[in-house]
Amino acid sequence: RPRVMIIGALKDNIDTVMCYVPKHSTADSASILALPLAELREKLQTGSLSPEDVLYTYMEQTLAVNAKLNCCTEIIMESFDQLKTIGSNKDGLLYGVPISLKENISYKNYTSTCGMVKNLDKPAQKDSVLVEVLKKQGAIPFAKTNVPQALLSYDCSNPIYGETKNPCNPKKSPGGSSGGEGALITAGGSVLGLGTDIGGSVRIPASFCGICGFKPTAGRLSSLGVNSSLQGQKSVLTTPGPMARDVDSLALFMQAVLCDHMFELDPTVPPLPFNMQTYKSSRPLRIGYYDNDGYSQPSPSMARAVREVKALLEDAGHTLVPYLPLKLDHTMTELLLRGLFADGGVTLLEQHKWSSENKVLQKVSSQHCEMLNPFLLCLYQEYTNETISYWRKINIDVLLCPMIGPAYWPRYAGKSTPLSYSMIYNLLNFSAGTVTVSTVTEEDEEELKHFKGIYQDFQDRLFKEAVTGGVGLPVSVQCVSLPWQDEMCLRLMKEVEELVARQPVRALISF
Protein backbone atom coordinates (compact mmCIF):
# COMPACT_ATOMS: atom_id res chain seq x y z
CA ARG A 1 0.00 0.00 0.00
CA PRO A 2 1.17 3.57 -0.62
CA ARG A 3 2.52 5.17 2.55
CA VAL A 4 -0.17 7.88 2.39
CA MET A 5 -2.78 5.15 2.90
CA ILE A 6 -0.91 3.86 5.94
CA ILE A 7 -0.76 7.36 7.42
CA GLY A 8 -4.45 7.78 6.74
CA ALA A 9 -5.25 4.50 8.47
CA LEU A 10 -3.15 5.49 11.49
CA LYS A 11 -4.92 8.86 11.64
CA ASP A 12 -8.28 7.10 11.57
CA ASN A 13 -7.05 4.85 14.38
CA ILE A 14 -6.05 7.87 16.46
CA ASP A 15 -9.26 9.76 15.70
CA THR A 16 -11.22 6.76 16.94
CA VAL A 17 -9.16 6.69 20.14
CA MET A 18 -9.98 10.33 20.80
CA CYS A 19 -13.65 9.39 20.95
CA TYR A 20 -12.91 6.85 23.71
CA VAL A 21 -10.67 9.00 25.89
CA PRO A 22 -12.41 11.53 28.14
CA LYS A 23 -10.55 14.72 28.95
CA HIS A 24 -8.68 14.75 32.26
CA SER A 25 -7.57 17.75 34.28
CA THR A 26 -3.97 18.74 33.72
CA ALA A 27 -3.20 18.38 37.44
CA ASP A 28 -4.47 14.81 37.64
CA SER A 29 -2.68 13.78 34.45
CA ALA A 30 0.60 15.34 35.52
CA SER A 31 0.56 13.59 38.89
CA ILE A 32 -0.16 10.20 37.31
CA LEU A 33 2.53 10.61 34.66
CA ALA A 34 5.08 11.60 37.31
CA LEU A 35 4.65 8.38 39.31
CA PRO A 36 7.42 5.76 39.08
CA LEU A 37 6.07 2.36 38.13
CA ALA A 38 6.41 0.99 41.67
CA GLU A 39 4.26 3.79 43.10
CA LEU A 40 1.79 3.64 40.23
CA ARG A 41 1.38 -0.10 40.77
CA GLU A 42 0.79 0.40 44.50
CA LYS A 43 -1.89 3.03 43.92
CA LEU A 44 -3.63 0.82 41.38
CA GLN A 45 -3.63 -2.17 43.70
CA THR A 46 -4.89 -0.19 46.69
CA GLY A 47 -7.60 1.43 44.58
CA SER A 48 -6.44 5.04 45.02
CA LEU A 49 -6.09 5.12 41.23
CA SER A 50 -8.33 3.30 38.77
CA PRO A 51 -7.07 1.47 35.67
CA GLU A 52 -9.39 3.69 33.60
CA ASP A 53 -7.80 6.92 34.85
CA VAL A 54 -4.30 5.59 34.29
CA LEU A 55 -4.97 4.22 30.80
CA TYR A 56 -6.78 7.36 29.64
CA THR A 57 -3.97 9.55 31.00
CA TYR A 58 -1.25 7.59 29.22
CA MET A 59 -3.34 7.36 26.07
CA GLU A 60 -3.70 11.15 25.96
CA GLN A 61 0.01 11.60 26.54
CA THR A 62 0.86 9.04 23.86
CA LEU A 63 -1.27 10.84 21.28
CA ALA A 64 0.39 14.15 22.12
CA VAL A 65 3.88 12.63 22.04
CA ASN A 66 3.25 10.78 18.79
CA ALA A 67 2.18 13.99 17.06
CA LYS A 68 5.67 15.37 17.73
CA LEU A 69 7.88 12.30 17.53
CA ASN A 70 6.08 9.81 15.24
CA CYS A 71 6.93 6.98 17.62
CA CYS A 72 3.73 4.88 17.48
CA THR A 73 2.44 2.67 14.68
CA GLU A 74 -0.97 1.82 16.12
CA ILE A 75 -3.15 2.27 19.16
CA ILE A 76 -4.47 -1.06 20.45
CA MET A 77 -8.22 -0.51 20.58
CA GLU A 78 -8.78 -3.69 22.57
CA SER A 79 -7.14 -1.96 25.54
CA PHE A 80 -10.49 -0.25 26.16
CA ASP A 81 -12.29 -3.59 26.11
CA GLN A 82 -9.73 -4.99 28.53
CA LEU A 83 -10.77 -2.40 31.10
CA LYS A 84 -14.17 -4.09 31.35
CA THR A 85 -12.70 -7.39 32.53
CA ILE A 86 -9.49 -6.33 34.23
CA GLY A 87 -10.93 -6.85 37.69
CA SER A 88 -10.41 -10.57 37.23
CA ASN A 89 -6.65 -9.95 37.18
CA LYS A 90 -6.47 -7.70 40.23
CA ASP A 91 -3.96 -10.01 41.92
CA GLY A 92 -1.56 -9.62 38.97
CA LEU A 93 1.79 -7.95 39.60
CA LEU A 94 1.06 -5.42 36.83
CA TYR A 95 -2.64 -4.85 37.51
CA GLY A 96 -3.83 -1.80 35.57
CA VAL A 97 -0.38 -0.85 34.25
CA PRO A 98 -0.40 0.35 30.61
CA ILE A 99 2.42 -1.16 28.57
CA SER A 100 3.63 -0.36 25.06
CA LEU A 101 4.83 -3.01 22.63
CA LYS A 102 7.45 -2.88 19.91
CA GLU A 103 5.81 -3.28 16.50
CA ASN A 104 7.24 -6.76 15.87
CA ILE A 105 5.54 -8.30 18.92
CA SER A 106 2.33 -10.11 17.96
CA TYR A 107 -1.01 -8.86 19.22
CA LYS A 108 -4.05 -10.62 17.80
CA ASN A 109 -5.54 -8.90 14.72
CA TYR A 110 -2.68 -6.38 14.53
CA THR A 111 0.07 -6.48 11.93
CA SER A 112 3.74 -6.85 12.79
CA THR A 113 5.51 -5.66 9.64
CA CYS A 114 9.05 -5.28 11.07
CA GLY A 115 9.04 -2.15 8.90
CA MET A 116 8.74 -4.26 5.74
CA VAL A 117 6.16 -3.55 3.04
CA LYS A 118 5.97 -7.26 2.26
CA ASN A 119 4.45 -7.95 5.69
CA LEU A 120 1.53 -5.53 5.40
CA ASP A 121 -2.01 -6.84 5.77
CA LYS A 122 -0.94 -9.97 7.62
CA PRO A 123 -2.54 -9.56 11.04
CA ALA A 124 -1.45 -11.88 13.83
CA GLN A 125 -3.72 -14.85 14.45
CA LYS A 126 -3.09 -14.76 18.19
CA ASP A 127 -1.20 -12.91 20.90
CA SER A 128 2.45 -13.62 21.53
CA VAL A 129 3.11 -15.61 24.69
CA LEU A 130 4.49 -12.54 26.46
CA VAL A 131 1.38 -10.52 25.63
CA GLU A 132 -0.80 -13.32 27.03
CA VAL A 133 1.29 -13.41 30.21
CA LEU A 134 1.26 -9.63 30.59
CA LYS A 135 -2.53 -9.59 30.30
CA LYS A 136 -2.76 -12.39 32.87
CA GLN A 137 -0.67 -10.24 35.21
CA GLY A 138 -3.12 -7.36 34.73
CA ALA A 139 -1.05 -5.22 32.34
CA ILE A 140 -2.86 -3.39 29.53
CA PRO A 141 -1.03 -3.37 26.17
CA PHE A 142 -2.21 -0.12 24.60
CA ALA A 143 0.15 0.92 21.78
CA LYS A 144 2.63 -0.49 19.27
CA THR A 145 5.79 1.46 18.52
CA ASN A 146 7.95 2.17 15.52
CA VAL A 147 10.97 0.25 14.23
CA PRO A 148 13.56 0.56 11.45
CA GLN A 149 13.13 -1.36 8.20
CA ALA A 150 13.86 -5.08 8.81
CA LEU A 151 14.80 -4.23 12.44
CA LEU A 152 18.54 -4.58 11.73
CA SER A 153 19.44 -0.93 12.29
CA TYR A 154 20.13 1.52 15.09
CA ASP A 155 18.04 4.17 13.37
CA CYS A 156 14.24 4.20 13.52
CA SER A 157 12.73 4.75 10.08
CA ASN A 158 10.87 2.62 7.54
CA PRO A 159 8.87 3.13 4.33
CA ILE A 160 5.56 2.38 6.06
CA TYR A 161 5.49 4.56 9.17
CA GLY A 162 8.31 7.00 8.52
CA GLU A 163 10.99 8.31 10.86
CA THR A 164 10.87 8.59 14.66
CA LYS A 165 12.57 11.51 16.40
CA ASN A 166 14.61 11.59 19.58
CA PRO A 167 12.72 13.39 22.39
CA CYS A 168 15.97 14.76 23.83
CA ASN A 169 16.82 16.39 20.50
CA PRO A 170 14.34 15.91 17.61
CA LYS A 171 17.16 16.32 15.09
CA LYS A 172 18.88 13.21 16.48
CA SER A 173 17.96 9.53 16.11
CA PRO A 174 16.25 7.72 19.02
CA GLY A 175 18.26 4.61 18.18
CA GLY A 176 16.92 1.24 17.17
CA SER A 177 15.55 -1.11 16.56
CA SER A 178 13.33 -0.46 19.61
CA GLY A 179 13.53 3.26 18.87
CA GLY A 180 9.81 3.94 19.08
CA GLU A 181 9.79 2.46 22.57
CA GLY A 182 12.74 4.57 23.68
CA ALA A 183 11.17 7.77 22.37
CA LEU A 184 7.70 7.08 23.81
CA ILE A 185 8.96 6.17 27.30
CA THR A 186 11.37 9.11 27.51
CA ALA A 187 8.64 11.55 26.48
CA GLY A 188 6.27 10.21 29.13
CA GLY A 189 3.87 8.35 26.85
CA SER A 190 4.55 4.96 28.44
CA VAL A 191 5.72 3.85 31.88
CA LEU A 192 6.87 0.41 30.70
CA GLY A 193 7.67 -1.03 27.29
CA LEU A 194 8.65 -4.31 25.67
CA GLY A 195 11.32 -4.33 22.98
CA THR A 196 13.63 -6.89 21.41
CA ASP A 197 17.42 -7.01 21.18
CA ILE A 198 19.64 -8.78 18.63
CA GLY A 199 22.65 -6.49 18.75
CA GLY A 200 21.77 -3.68 21.09
CA SER A 201 18.23 -3.01 19.90
CA VAL A 202 16.94 -2.45 23.45
CA ARG A 203 20.15 -1.09 24.95
CA ILE A 204 21.05 1.45 22.26
CA PRO A 205 17.69 3.29 22.15
CA ALA A 206 17.70 3.27 25.96
CA SER A 207 21.14 4.92 25.78
CA PHE A 208 20.20 7.40 23.05
CA CYS A 209 16.97 8.43 24.81
CA GLY A 210 18.17 8.42 28.42
CA ILE A 211 16.25 5.53 30.02
CA CYS A 212 17.01 1.97 31.18
CA GLY A 213 16.92 -1.13 28.98
CA PHE A 214 17.59 -4.79 29.67
CA LYS A 215 18.53 -7.70 27.41
CA PRO A 216 17.95 -10.95 29.31
CA THR A 217 19.68 -14.20 28.51
CA ALA A 218 18.11 -15.47 25.27
CA GLY A 219 15.73 -18.25 26.24
CA ARG A 220 14.86 -16.79 29.66
CA LEU A 221 11.73 -15.20 28.14
CA SER A 222 9.48 -16.74 25.52
CA SER A 223 10.01 -15.59 21.93
CA LEU A 224 6.86 -17.26 20.58
CA GLY A 225 5.01 -14.61 18.63
CA VAL A 226 8.02 -12.29 18.45
CA ASN A 227 8.72 -11.60 14.78
CA SER A 228 12.11 -11.17 13.14
CA SER A 229 13.55 -10.51 9.70
CA LEU A 230 16.08 -13.30 10.28
CA GLN A 231 13.95 -16.15 11.60
CA GLY A 232 15.93 -19.33 12.19
CA GLN A 233 19.29 -17.64 12.66
CA LYS A 234 20.94 -19.25 15.71
CA SER A 235 24.38 -17.68 16.08
CA VAL A 236 23.59 -14.15 17.25
CA LEU A 237 20.56 -14.58 19.45
CA THR A 238 17.66 -12.16 19.77
CA THR A 239 15.54 -11.83 22.88
CA PRO A 240 12.64 -9.73 24.14
CA GLY A 241 13.51 -7.28 26.88
CA PRO A 242 11.91 -4.50 28.94
CA MET A 243 12.52 -0.75 28.75
CA ALA A 244 11.56 1.75 31.46
CA ARG A 245 12.60 4.86 33.35
CA ASP A 246 14.29 3.00 36.21
CA VAL A 247 15.84 -0.36 37.03
CA ASP A 248 13.18 -1.41 39.54
CA SER A 249 10.63 -1.28 36.70
CA LEU A 250 12.76 -3.67 34.63
CA ALA A 251 13.03 -6.03 37.60
CA LEU A 252 9.26 -5.88 38.19
CA PHE A 253 8.64 -6.77 34.55
CA MET A 254 10.96 -9.77 34.83
CA GLN A 255 9.35 -10.86 38.09
CA ALA A 256 5.90 -10.62 36.51
CA VAL A 257 6.57 -12.61 33.35
CA LEU A 258 8.82 -15.28 34.88
CA CYS A 259 5.77 -17.13 36.15
CA ASP A 260 4.05 -20.49 35.83
CA HIS A 261 1.74 -19.15 33.13
CA MET A 262 4.66 -18.42 30.78
CA PHE A 263 6.32 -21.73 31.58
CA GLU A 264 3.07 -23.53 30.70
CA LEU A 265 2.49 -21.61 27.46
CA ASP A 266 6.08 -22.15 26.29
CA PRO A 267 7.66 -25.34 27.69
CA THR A 268 10.96 -24.48 25.96
CA VAL A 269 11.53 -21.75 28.56
CA PRO A 270 13.34 -23.03 31.68
CA PRO A 271 11.01 -22.70 34.70
CA LEU A 272 13.23 -20.26 36.58
CA PRO A 273 11.28 -17.71 38.64
CA PHE A 274 12.84 -14.31 39.33
CA ASN A 275 15.46 -14.53 42.08
CA MET A 276 14.61 -11.56 44.29
CA GLN A 277 17.28 -12.51 46.82
CA THR A 278 20.02 -12.02 44.24
CA TYR A 279 18.51 -8.75 43.02
CA LYS A 280 18.24 -7.35 46.55
CA SER A 281 21.63 -8.63 47.75
CA SER A 282 24.05 -6.08 49.17
CA ARG A 283 27.24 -8.14 49.29
CA PRO A 284 30.29 -6.45 47.75
CA LEU A 285 30.97 -7.47 44.15
CA ARG A 286 34.06 -8.12 42.07
CA ILE A 287 33.37 -6.15 38.92
CA GLY A 288 35.34 -6.34 35.70
CA TYR A 289 35.58 -3.10 33.73
CA TYR A 290 36.92 -1.57 30.54
CA ASP A 291 36.44 1.84 28.93
CA ASN A 292 37.89 0.85 25.54
CA ASP A 293 37.56 -2.63 24.00
CA GLY A 294 40.60 -2.22 21.74
CA TYR A 295 38.52 -2.71 18.59
CA SER A 296 36.27 0.37 18.41
CA GLN A 297 37.38 3.58 20.09
CA PRO A 298 34.54 4.92 22.24
CA SER A 299 33.38 8.50 22.15
CA PRO A 300 34.84 10.63 24.97
CA SER A 301 31.55 10.60 26.90
CA MET A 302 31.27 6.80 26.65
CA ALA A 303 34.71 6.30 28.20
CA ARG A 304 34.27 9.04 30.81
CA ALA A 305 31.00 7.53 32.02
CA VAL A 306 32.70 4.19 32.74
CA ARG A 307 35.57 5.85 34.59
CA GLU A 308 33.23 7.91 36.75
CA VAL A 309 30.98 4.96 37.60
CA LYS A 310 34.06 2.81 38.36
CA ALA A 311 35.14 5.38 40.95
CA LEU A 312 31.68 5.44 42.52
CA LEU A 313 31.58 1.65 42.76
CA GLU A 314 35.03 1.52 44.36
CA ASP A 315 34.02 4.16 46.91
CA ALA A 316 30.97 2.02 47.72
CA GLY A 317 33.18 -0.94 48.64
CA HIS A 318 33.21 -3.00 45.45
CA THR A 319 36.39 -4.36 43.85
CA LEU A 320 37.04 -3.30 40.24
CA VAL A 321 39.18 -5.56 38.06
CA PRO A 322 40.58 -4.63 34.62
CA TYR A 323 39.00 -6.65 31.81
CA LEU A 324 39.42 -6.79 28.02
CA PRO A 325 37.13 -8.68 25.60
CA LEU A 326 38.88 -11.54 23.82
CA LYS A 327 39.89 -11.66 20.14
CA LEU A 328 37.47 -8.99 18.91
CA ASP A 329 39.32 -8.43 15.63
CA HIS A 330 38.63 -12.07 14.74
CA THR A 331 35.27 -12.48 16.45
CA MET A 332 33.53 -9.49 14.89
CA THR A 333 34.05 -10.70 11.33
CA GLU A 334 34.55 -14.45 11.55
CA LEU A 335 31.83 -15.24 14.09
CA LEU A 336 29.44 -12.35 14.49
CA LEU A 337 28.88 -11.06 10.97
CA ARG A 338 29.26 -14.43 9.25
CA GLY A 339 26.99 -16.03 11.79
CA LEU A 340 24.33 -13.34 11.40
CA PHE A 341 24.31 -13.68 7.61
CA ALA A 342 25.35 -17.31 7.26
CA ASP A 343 22.91 -17.79 4.37
CA GLY A 344 24.60 -15.07 2.32
CA GLY A 345 21.85 -12.63 3.18
CA VAL A 346 19.18 -14.60 1.28
CA THR A 347 16.63 -14.40 4.11
CA LEU A 348 17.09 -10.65 4.47
CA LEU A 349 16.86 -10.15 0.70
CA GLU A 350 13.57 -12.05 0.65
CA GLN A 351 12.21 -9.66 3.26
CA HIS A 352 13.14 -6.73 1.01
CA LYS A 353 11.49 -8.31 -2.03
CA TRP A 354 9.11 -5.40 -2.57
CA SER A 355 11.56 -2.74 -1.47
CA SER A 356 13.15 -0.14 -3.72
CA GLU A 357 16.43 -1.02 -1.98
CA ASN A 358 16.36 -4.60 -3.21
CA LYS A 359 18.81 -4.15 -6.12
CA VAL A 360 21.33 -2.47 -3.86
CA LEU A 361 21.03 -5.26 -1.29
CA GLN A 362 21.46 -7.92 -3.96
CA LYS A 363 24.68 -6.26 -5.10
CA VAL A 364 26.01 -6.00 -1.54
CA SER A 365 25.07 -9.63 -0.83
CA SER A 366 26.74 -10.96 -3.96
CA GLN A 367 29.92 -9.07 -3.09
CA HIS A 368 30.08 -10.65 0.37
CA CYS A 369 28.78 -14.17 -0.22
CA GLU A 370 32.28 -15.46 -0.79
CA MET A 371 33.14 -14.44 2.77
CA LEU A 372 30.54 -16.74 4.28
CA ASN A 373 31.60 -20.12 5.52
CA PRO A 374 29.01 -21.93 7.70
CA PHE A 375 31.77 -24.15 9.09
CA LEU A 376 33.01 -21.18 11.11
CA LEU A 377 29.72 -20.93 13.00
CA CYS A 378 30.63 -23.85 15.25
CA LEU A 379 33.40 -21.70 16.71
CA TYR A 380 31.00 -19.43 18.57
CA GLN A 381 30.54 -21.97 21.39
CA GLU A 382 34.30 -22.24 21.73
CA TYR A 383 34.51 -18.45 21.99
CA THR A 384 31.81 -18.42 24.66
CA ASN A 385 33.66 -21.07 26.66
CA GLU A 386 36.92 -19.12 26.42
CA THR A 387 35.22 -15.96 27.62
CA ILE A 388 33.59 -17.72 30.58
CA SER A 389 36.95 -19.25 31.49
CA TYR A 390 38.47 -15.76 31.42
CA TRP A 391 35.74 -14.51 33.80
CA ARG A 392 36.48 -17.42 36.15
CA LYS A 393 40.21 -16.80 36.00
CA ILE A 394 39.95 -13.18 37.10
CA ASN A 395 37.09 -14.11 39.44
CA ILE A 396 34.52 -11.45 38.57
CA ASP A 397 30.78 -11.46 39.28
CA VAL A 398 29.70 -8.90 36.70
CA LEU A 399 31.11 -6.48 34.14
CA LEU A 400 30.94 -2.70 33.63
CA CYS A 401 31.64 -1.35 30.15
CA PRO A 402 30.65 1.38 27.66
CA MET A 403 27.38 1.64 25.79
CA ILE A 404 27.18 3.23 22.35
CA GLY A 405 26.36 6.91 22.46
CA PRO A 406 25.49 9.68 22.45
CA ALA A 407 22.60 9.72 19.99
CA TYR A 408 23.51 9.66 16.30
CA TRP A 409 22.43 11.97 13.56
CA PRO A 410 19.84 10.09 11.44
CA ARG A 411 21.02 7.70 8.72
CA TYR A 412 24.46 7.16 10.21
CA ALA A 413 23.56 3.89 11.96
CA GLY A 414 23.88 1.81 8.81
CA LYS A 415 27.28 3.30 8.01
CA SER A 416 29.18 3.08 11.26
CA THR A 417 28.21 1.47 14.54
CA PRO A 418 30.71 0.10 17.07
CA LEU A 419 28.88 -3.23 17.36
CA SER A 420 31.68 -4.64 19.49
CA TYR A 421 30.19 -2.87 22.52
CA SER A 422 26.70 -4.32 22.17
CA MET A 423 26.29 -7.25 19.76
CA ILE A 424 29.16 -9.20 21.29
CA TYR A 425 26.90 -9.97 24.26
CA ASN A 426 24.21 -11.33 21.95
CA LEU A 427 26.82 -13.63 20.43
CA LEU A 428 27.91 -14.75 23.90
CA ASN A 429 24.30 -14.83 25.13
CA PHE A 430 25.23 -12.92 28.28
CA SER A 431 22.59 -10.75 29.91
CA ALA A 432 23.23 -7.02 29.55
CA GLY A 433 21.54 -3.75 30.40
CA THR A 434 22.07 -0.01 30.19
CA VAL A 435 21.66 2.72 32.78
CA THR A 436 21.82 6.43 32.02
CA VAL A 437 24.46 8.04 34.24
CA SER A 438 25.42 11.40 32.75
CA THR A 439 25.11 13.82 29.86
CA VAL A 440 27.58 14.92 27.21
CA THR A 441 29.65 17.87 28.41
CA GLU A 442 31.33 20.71 26.53
CA GLU A 443 34.64 19.06 27.48
CA ASP A 444 33.50 15.80 25.86
CA GLU A 445 32.60 17.65 22.69
CA GLU A 446 35.95 19.43 22.63
CA GLU A 447 37.80 16.13 23.12
CA LEU A 448 35.78 14.59 20.29
CA LYS A 449 37.35 17.07 17.88
CA HIS A 450 40.62 15.15 18.31
CA PHE A 451 39.02 11.71 17.88
CA LYS A 452 40.98 9.52 15.44
CA GLY A 453 39.74 6.00 16.12
CA ILE A 454 41.74 2.82 16.50
CA TYR A 455 41.96 2.02 12.79
CA GLN A 456 41.59 5.64 11.64
CA ASP A 457 39.48 4.46 8.72
CA PHE A 458 36.23 5.67 7.15
CA GLN A 459 34.13 3.94 9.84
CA ASP A 460 35.98 5.78 12.58
CA ARG A 461 35.42 9.05 10.72
CA LEU A 462 31.72 8.32 10.28
CA PHE A 463 31.31 7.44 13.96
CA LYS A 464 32.87 10.77 14.91
CA GLU A 465 30.45 12.59 12.61
CA ALA A 466 27.48 10.60 13.95
CA VAL A 467 27.98 11.58 17.60
CA THR A 468 28.99 15.22 17.15
CA GLY A 469 26.65 17.91 18.45
CA GLY A 470 25.75 15.87 21.50
CA VAL A 471 26.16 18.36 24.36
CA GLY A 472 23.42 17.73 26.91
CA LEU A 473 22.39 14.37 25.46
CA PRO A 474 22.20 11.26 27.69
CA VAL A 475 25.20 9.04 28.34
CA SER A 476 24.87 5.46 29.60
CA VAL A 477 27.01 2.61 30.85
CA GLN A 478 26.44 -1.10 30.25
CA CYS A 479 26.26 -3.83 32.89
CA VAL A 480 26.82 -7.46 31.89
CA SER A 481 26.52 -10.85 33.60
CA LEU A 482 27.00 -14.48 32.65
CA PRO A 483 24.15 -16.43 31.02
CA TRP A 484 21.13 -17.12 33.29
CA GLN A 485 22.39 -14.65 35.88
CA ASP A 486 19.98 -11.92 34.79
CA GLU A 487 19.21 -10.88 38.35
CA MET A 488 22.91 -10.27 39.00
CA CYS A 489 23.04 -7.95 35.99
CA LEU A 490 19.98 -6.06 37.22
CA ARG A 491 21.50 -5.87 40.68
CA LEU A 492 24.60 -4.08 39.32
CA MET A 493 22.37 -1.81 37.23
CA LYS A 494 20.42 -0.87 40.37
CA GLU A 495 23.63 -0.23 42.30
CA VAL A 496 24.90 2.07 39.54
CA GLU A 497 21.57 3.89 39.36
CA GLU A 498 21.51 4.53 43.10
CA LEU A 499 25.13 5.69 43.29
CA VAL A 500 24.70 8.09 40.38
CA ALA A 501 21.47 9.46 41.88
CA ARG A 502 23.43 10.62 44.94
CA GLN A 503 25.75 12.75 42.80
CA PRO A 504 25.21 16.36 41.69
CA VAL A 505 22.59 16.30 38.94
CA ARG A 506 23.49 16.87 35.31
CA ALA A 507 20.01 17.53 34.00
CA LEU A 508 19.00 15.87 30.74
CA ILE A 509 17.41 17.94 28.03
CA SER A 510 13.68 17.74 28.80
CA PHE A 511 11.08 16.99 26.17
Side-chain angles (χ1 to χ4, degrees), residues 179-330:
E181 281 298 323
L184 183 64
I185 294 168
T186 298
S190 178
V191 70
L192 181 64
L194 177 58
T196 60
D197 192 307
I198 193 174
S201 294
V202 161
R203 292 162 286 159
I204 291 172
S207 171
F208 282 16
C209 294
I211 58 173
C212 300
F214 180 57
K215 180 203 82 67
T217 305
R220 188 79 191 268
L221 302 182
S222 174
S223 290
L224 292 179
V226 177
N227 299 282
S228 168
S229 57
L230 290 175
Q231 296 281 41
Q233 184 274 129
K234 299 293 186 182
S235 299
V236 185
L237 300 176
T238 186
T239 179
M243 302 171 71
R245 303 172 199 163
D246 56 65
V247 179
D248 277 343
S249 298
L250 306 178
L252 178 60
F253 174 94
M254 294 296 290
Q255 183 186 4
V257 297
L258 292 173
C259 62
D260 289 342
H261 190 52
M262 183 178 73
F263 305 145
E264 291 166 5
L265 291 172
D266 188 352
T268 68
V269 174
L272 299 173
F274 189 78
N275 190 329
M276 189 59 72
Q277 183 177 356
T278 298
Y279 178 60
K280 295 290 188 180
S281 173
S282 59
R283 75 170 178 86
L285 298 171
R286 279 181 62 87
I287 304 169
Y289 77 93
Y290 61 93
D291 62 13
N292 187 326
D293 66 11
Y295 183 81
S296 302
Q297 183 176 337
S299 65
S301 59
M302 288 169 62
R304 173 180 58 80
V306 172
R307 294 194 298 269
E308 290 180 351
V309 171
K310 170 185 176 287
L312 293 176
L313 289 166
E314 286 177 325
D315 290 345
H318 301 287
T319 301
L320 277 290
V321 180
Y323 178 98
L324 191 65
L326 303 176
K327 305 177 181 177
L328 283 182
D329 53 345
H330 170 82

Side-chain angles (χ1 to χ4, degrees), residues 71 171 185 298 308 402 404 418 459:
C71 51
K171 295 181 179 180
I185 294 168
E308 290 180 351
I404 300 166
Q459 290 205 17

Side-chain angles (χ1 to χ4, degrees), residues 102-162:
K102 187 175 179 179
E103 196 262 5
N104 66 318
I105 295 169
S106 294
Y107 192 105
K108 185 177 180 180
N109 295 328
Y110 287 77
T111 300
S112 292
T113 67
C114 300
M116 308 296 296
V117 175
K118 179 185 177 184
N119 297 330
L120 280 169
D121 299 321
K122 296 178 182 178
Q125 299 301 303
K126 61 180 181 178
D127 291 341
S128 65
V129 165
L130 283 176
V131 167
E132 285 194 50
V133 174
L134 287 166
K135 287 181 179 179
K136 184 75 171 179
Q137 289 283 20
I140 305 176
F142 75 104
K144 299 192 79 175
T145 55
N146 204 20
V147 296
Q149 189 176 23
L151 305 181
L152 297 174
S153 172
Y154 303 129
D155 255 334
C156 193
S157 177
N158 63 73
I160 304 171
Y161 300 109

